[in-house]
Amino acid sequence: MKTLFSRAFSRIYEIPRKSLFDCPQHRQSLVLTANSHSSIDSNPKEKVDPFSLVADEISLVSNRLRSSAVAEVPELSSAARYFFEHGVEGKRTCSMVLLLMAKSMDKHKPGSSFSCIQDTSRVQLRLKQKLIAEITEMIHVASLIHDDILDDAKTRRGVGSLNSVFGNKLAVLAGDFLLFRALGALASLKNNEQIVSLLATAVENLVTGETMQMAATVEQRCSMEYYMQKTYYKTASLVSNSCKAMALLSDQTPKVAMSAFEYGKNLGMAYQFIDDILDFTGTSASLGKGPLSDIRQGIITAPILFAMEEFPRLKAVTEQGFDNSANINTALEYLWKSNGIQRTKELAAKHANLAAAAIDSLPESSSSDVRRSRQALINLTRILTARNK
Amino acid sequence: MKTLFSRAFSRIYEIPRKSLFDCPQHRQSLVLTANSHSSIDSNPKEKVDPFSLVADEISLVSNRLRSSAVAEVPELSSAARYFFEHGVEGKRTCSMVLLLMAKSMDKHKPGSSFSCIQDTSRVQLRLKQKLIAEITEMIHVASLIHDDILDDAKTRRGVGSLNSVFGNKLAVLAGDFLLFRALGALASLKNNEQIVSLLATAVENLVTGETMQMAATVEQRCSMEYYMQKTYYKTASLVSNSCKAMALLSDQTPKVAMSAFEYGKNLGMAYQFIDDILDFTGTSASLGKGPLSDIRQGIITAPILFAMEEFPRLKAVTEQGFDNSANINTALEYLWKSNGIQRTKELAAKHANLAAAAIDSLPESSSSDVRRSRQALINLTRILTARNK
């Protein structure tokens, strides 16, 4: 977990843009896993492509982000829009998850007759849902920008980081601008103070998670409980709270809203666990950065924590710190002797299953659109945990 | 205007804490000016002390800021609460102005009978008003914190700046934390999306103003129009929008809300103009920092802009920059030959009068509390423009 919310989200939300099924390997694993897990999809060969189901709406969200992140001062506009421009906008998986969740919450019965008033209400609901996706992307990007300042990062999404291109000052300001542009957008959601509160909690959690990582004592760094809490705050809180917001917008029951929250939470957690494994097993080419970046920064993640349970002496090494490569090598020796990687995979699978179960627990819907969206959300948990980069 | 919102607000809102009337010079100037300007106060000897009128409520706001700026992680709590602790909390003039504005907006008629429901409603209104004061202080302090990072400032309010004490990283996070803690508090103001929008606009303006200053071309730096716009954004927008929020909370008409806004705007502008004069006329001892700090940073303020109108050659000096003291000395020579200082004083007086006129324009009230609060607001415009430090 290198950075505030960045690596986790830039990966969790950067699925290949065109289609998740462009990759044969993904296609195969998806079909297998969707078949083995989902109780929703009765046809094992149905390939529900999460991205293509909401591709049009994702484009609308992206266009609005580009057009709305405009400030009075050109320099601020350029900085604030930097990560919304074509080519550096990431894979917008954040928007994808939220828009799929919105579709999964649809209460409209197909074939039922509608009055003009009901139609207008549905159009307004769609607009609000897209706005939540936009707001979440703005908060996400603001956190990336401030995060890169904290880490003095040089690159992001294959281009120079905002701080390296525009300088730290403008990067601080651009992050602040996006945070409060998000607030302004939230304010336009009239009478939705519960949703404002959810998003405010998410940002507070992001900040808390980053501080937990920055200020951890050795004892805390060696604690699985601390790691889990930090992982939720840094990686899973924003998407879980935004998923819940989608349910509330659709006037769903508190129980359904909680299921939406649980999906987002467990998806985010599962993703991070895989990310933490890849930091040990990936190559520079596959990761887009050097491997072992966490441990080099003294950040202890699940694989090492599990290894420590098997080899308590690893704690003494951790206490000495990882400023020298000898200690890193010792830690790696313990890791490879242990079941740390395997247990972390199991932890990710557990959370992926919990995410899928949250979708399975939703009240049945007669709408095929709703069912396909839910299937896509379930498939996504498998795709993200099966990835190797 | 050295910093984002900082110097202006740390001064505009740092009137001596115990009482504004502790200083005989202030007392005299207040009586004179209140007498000469106000149409509200028929007794020229009435000494309406702005601070003491709302001292109890200011204390409540301060206590709540200390208790609410608590994060789950101790380090983040310490950083976020730093400027709310006793001794470094400033003079809380921001709260004073807003709480006086709240009292000035009171629609309750003294002596009228009240039902329990009406009493409850009044109590809730008071709570909301104090919350707006808290939120504004949080945004203000967050902007100071980020501002000091931008300027690499070492001190603030007579103590080490947050970045110098806790480091830049924790300072970025503490600013973010306070901004969104403010958002969380805003969310608790149910059904008040207009107020959320006002505060969001204020923060966006703060960021825009700072960027305008940072990214100004020579042409823009020599433009009075640009300077005025930047001054509004950096100094006056937060208090003007918060004043308007107080009026809206009290269910006042749009016209009254606009008067509240105009008061805050013109008070902030007038204050900044005086501040810009003092940067040339003050001493290190009186300013708490070296004089000429603006021009040394290449920031051109009203006195120089007026001097430039009289001596167009000053523009050429400005174009060369103020990295060397010879150019600064040349600029000062032009300034002292010109009426720059005098014209800036007149500009401040004009805005102070506009602020007072905004209060004068409010519908009459039979409540003596309301009238005294309005008198205090008027007096404040004189006190702030008569100051010499």
Side-chain angles (χ1 to χ4, degrees):
Chain A
M1 286 184 293
K2 182 186 165 201
T3 57
L4 164 62
F5 183 65
S6 64
R7 217 183 67 201
F9 266 78
S10 61
R11 291 195 190 162
I12 207 166
Y13 295 134
E14 286 170 17
I15 307 301
R17 181 178 161 195
K18 192 175 169 190
S19 166
L20 283 162
F21 290 87
D22 288 350
C23 166
Q25 184 189 343
H26 271 155
R27 187 179 298 133
Q28 188 181 26
S29 70
L30 172 64
V31 173
L32 286 170
T33 52
N35 186 19
S36 58
H37 286 276
S38 169
S39 65
I40 288 176
D41 184 6
S42 57
N43 176 3
K45 288 188 179 171
E46 184 177 359
K47 294 169 189 167
V48 181
D49 179 348
F51 194 93
S52 65
L53 270 190
V54 284
D56 291 346
E57 285 170 304
I58 290 174
S59 286
L60 288 172
V61 167
S62 298
N63 291 340
R64 276 185 53 96
L65 283 168
R66 273 187 288 277
S67 62
S68 67
V70 173
E72 201 172 321
V73 187
E75 288 79 2
L76 188 57
S77 288
S78 303
R81 292 178 58 180
Y82 186 73
F83 285 119
F84 298 136
E85 299 292 356
H86 292 293
V88 285
E89 58 193 338
K91 301 307 179 297
R92 300 168 296 176
T93 313
C94 190
S95 298
M96 175 177 64
V97 169
L98 294 178
L99 293 167
L100 284 172
M101 183 58 77
K103 276 182 180 282
S104 295
M105 295 289 138
D106 198 343
K107 291 170 103 176
H108 165 57
K109 288 178 185 163
S112 63
S113 62
F114 267 96
S115 67
C116 283
I117 293 173
Q118 283 172 315
D119 276 346
T120 308
S121 157
R122 277 173 65 79
V123 169
Q124 286 177 339
L125 176 61
R126 291 278 175 275
L127 288 174
K128 284 186 178 182
Q129 289 168 336
K130 283 199 277 287
L131 194 60
I132 291 290
E134 280 173 50
I135 289 165
T136 307
E137 286 280 4
M138 278 192 268
I139 293 173
H140 170 45
V141 167
S143 75
L144 298 183
I145 291 171
H146 280 185
D147 185 25
D148 283 348
I149 301 167
L150 301 186
D151 289 347
D152 198 20
K154 300 302 178 204
T155 58
R156 159 81 60 189
R157 293 179 177 173
V159 295
S161 63
L162 196 68
N163 43 308
S164 69
V165 174
F166 288 83
N168 275 354
K169 292 185 181 190
L170 206 51
V172 168
L173 292 169
D176 289 355
F177 174 84
L178 286 175
L179 282 180
F180 268 76
R181 182 53 70 94
L183 168 57
L186 272 173
S188 71
L189 284 170
K190 301 192 177 190
N191 303 331
N192 280 297
E193 62 278 352
Q194 200 178 354
I195 287 170
V196 177
S197 181
L198 286 173
L199 273 293
T201 300
V203 177
E204 194 173 315
N205 287 348
L206 281 169
V207 173
T208 302
E210 178 63 13
T211 315
M212 284 178 80
Q213 181 164 295
M214 224 169 68
T217 62
V218 171
E219 207 58 45
Q220 288 167 332
R221 288 192 295 135
C222 295
S223 156
M224 180 61 87
E225 191 185 353
Y226 194 84
Y227 164 81
M228 294 291 279
Q229 188 68 50
K230 178 189 69 170
T231 301
Y232 168 67
Y233 283 158
K234 279 179 56 114
T235 310
S237 173
L238 180 59
V239 69
S240 58
N241 280 288
S242 294
C243 280
K244 186 176 178 181
M246 288 301 189
L248 294 177
L249 274 179
S250 294
D251 203 22
Q252 292 283 359
T253 63
K255 186 165 178 282
V256 170
M258 189 45 68
S259 294
F261 179 92
E262 285 295 319
Y263 175 82
K265 174 183 160 187
N266 286 295
L267 182 82
M269 298 290 279
Y271 189 94
Q272 186 60 51
F273 301 139
I274 297 299
D275 214 45
D276 292 342
I277 290 171
L278 293 175
D279 196 52
F280 290 104
T281 62
T283 62
S284 294
S286 67
L287 297 175
K289 59 163 188 137
L292 305 177
S293 69
D294 287 337
I295 199 165
R296 284 186 208 281
Q297 292 183 83
I299 297 167
I300 306 303
T301 58
I304 294 287
L305 291 172
F306 282 125
M308 207 178 282
E309 285 181 17
E310 288 178 62
F311 300 100
R313 288 179 59 194
L314 184 48
K315 189 173 176 186
V317 180
T318 303
E319 282 168 3
Q320 288 171 20
F322 295 103
D323 292 336
N324 64 72
S325 55
N327 276 2
I328 293 177
N329 288 336
T330 308
L332 290 178
E333 281 170 25
Y334 281 118
L335 175 63
W336 302 132
K337 277 195 290 184
S338 77
N339 292 308
I341 297 290
Q342 181 55 33
R343 288 180 69 188
T344 307
K345 279 185 185 170
E346 289 163 8
L347 187 65
K350 177 184 154 193
H351 283 268
N353 286 338
L354 286 171
I359 299 300
D360 274 338
S361 76
L362 295 173
E364 281 191 14
S365 170
S366 58
S367 157
S368 60
D369 275 356
V370 169
R371 281 184 285 128
R372 283 171 65 85
S373 300
R374 292 179 183 179
Q375 185 63 57
L377 287 174
I378 289 176
N379 292 352
L380 203 53
T381 66
R382 317 306 172 197
I383 295 168
L384 295 178
T385 47
R387 75 204 158 91
N388 56 15
K389 60 180 183 178
Chain B
M1 284 184 294
K2 181 187 164 203
T3 58
L4 164 61
F5 184 59
S6 65
R7 216 184 66 201
F9 266 79
S10 60
R11 289 194 194 164
I12 208 167
Y13 295 137
E14 286 171 16
I15 308 301
R17 181 179 163 193
K18 192 176 169 191
S19 165
L20 283 162
F21 289 86
D22 287 352
C23 166
Q25 186 190 340
H26 270 157
R27 187 179 297 136
Q28 189 180 24
S29 68
L30 171 66
V31 174
L32 285 171
T33 52
N35 187 21
S36 59
H37 286 276
S38 169
S39 65
I40 289 177
D41 183 5
S42 57
N43 176 6
K45 289 189 177 171
E46 185 178 357
K47 295 168 188 166
V48 182
D49 178 348
F51 194 93
S52 66
L53 270 190
V54 284
D56 290 346
E57 285 170 304
I58 291 173
S59 286
L60 288 172
V61 167
S62 299
N63 291 339
R64 275 184 54 95
L65 282 168
R66 272 187 288 277
S67 62
S68 68
V70 174
E72 201 172 320
V73 188
E75 288 78 4
L76 189 57
S77 288
S78 303
R81 292 177 58 180
Y82 187 72
F83 285 118
F84 298 136
E85 300 292 356
H86 292 292
V88 286
E89 59 193 340
K91 301 307 178 296
R92 300 167 296 177
T93 313
C94 189
S95 298
M96 175 176 64
V97 170
L98 294 177
L99 294 168
L100 284 172
M101 183 57 78
K103 276 182 181 282
S104 295
M105 293 290 138
D106 199 345
K107 291 171 104 176
H108 165 55
K109 289 178 185 163
S112 63
S113 62
F114 267 97
S115 67
C116 282
I117 293 171
Q118 282 171 316
D119 277 345
T120 307
S121 158
R122 277 174 65 79
V123 169
Q124 286 178 339
L125 175 61
R126 291 279 175 274
L127 287 174
K128 284 185 178 182
Q129 289 168 336
K130 283 198 277 288
L131 195 59
I132 292 291
E134 281 173 49
I135 289 165
T136 308
E137 286 280 6
M138 278 192 268
I139 293 173
H140 171 45
V141 168
S143 75
L144 299 182
I145 291 172
H146 280 184
D147 186 24
D148 284 348
I149 300 168
L150 302 185
D151 289 347
D152 198 20
K154 301 300 178 206
T155 58
R156 160 80 60 188
R157 293 179 177 172
V159 294
S161 63
L162 196 66
N163 43 307
S164 68
V165 174
F166 288 84
N168 275 353
K169 293 185 180 189
L170 206 50
V172 168
L173 292 169
D176 289 354
F177 174 84
L178 286 175
L179 283 180
F180 266 77
R181 182 54 69 95
L183 168 57
L186 273 171
S188 70
L189 285 170
K190 301 192 177 191
N191 303 331
N192 280 296
E193 63 277 353
Q194 201 178 353
I195 287 170
V196 177
S197 181
L198 285 173
L199 273 293
T201 300
V203 177
E204 195 173 314
N205 287 348
L206 281 169
V207 173
T208 302
E210 177 63 14
T211 314
M212 283 177 81
Q213 181 165 295
M214 223 167 68
T217 62
V218 171
E219 207 57 46
Q220 287 168 331
R221 287 192 296 135
C222 294
S223 156
M224 179 61 85
E225 191 184 354
Y226 194 84
Y227 164 81
M228 294 291 278
Q229 188 67 52
K230 178 189 69 170
T231 302
Y232 168 68
Y233 284 157
K234 279 179 54 114
T235 311
S237 173
L238 180 59
V239 70
S240 57
N241 279 290
S242 294
C243 280
K244 185 175 178 183
M246 289 300 189
L248 294 177
L249 273 181
S250 294
D251 204 22
Q252 292 283 359
T253 64
K255 187 165 177 282
V256 169
M258 190 44 69
S259 295
F261 179 92
E262 286 296 317
Y263 175 82
K265 173 184 161 186
N266 286 294
L267 182 82
M269 299 291 278
Y271 189 94
Q272 185 60 50
F273 301 140
I274 297 298
D275 214 46
D276 291 343
I277 291 172
L278 293 175
D279 196 52
F280 290 105
T281 61
T283 63
S284 293
S286 68
L287 297 175
K289 58 163 189 142
L292 305 176
S293 68
D294 287 337
I295 198 165
R296 284 186 208 282
Q297 293 184 81
I299 298 167
I300 307 302
T301 58
I304 294 287
L305 291 171
F306 282 126
M308 207 179 282
E309 285 181 18
E310 288 178 63
F311 300 100
R313 288 180 59 195
L314 184 48
K315 190 173 175 186
V317 180
T318 302
E319 282 168 2
Q320 289 172 18
F322 295 104
D323 292 337
N324 65 72
S325 55
N327 276 3
I328 293 177
N329 288 336
T330 308
L332 292 178
E333 281 171 25
Y334 281 117
L335 176 63
W336 302 131
K337 279 196 289 186
S338 77
N339 293 308
I341 298 289
Q342 182 55 32
R343 288 180 69 188
T344 308
K345 279 185 185 170
E346 289 162 8
L347 186 65
K350 177 185 154 193
H351 282 270
N353 286 339
L354 286 171
I359 300 300
D360 275 338
S361 76
L362 295 172
E364 282 192 12
S365 170
S366 58
S367 157
S368 60
D369 273 356
V370 168
R371 281 185 283 128
R372 283 171 64 84
S373 299
R374 293 180 183 179
Q375 185 63 59
L377 286 173
I378 290 174
N379 293 352
L380 203 52
T381 67
R382 318 305 172 196
I383 295 167
L384 294 179
T385 47
R387 75 204 157 92
N388 56 15
K389 61 179 182 177

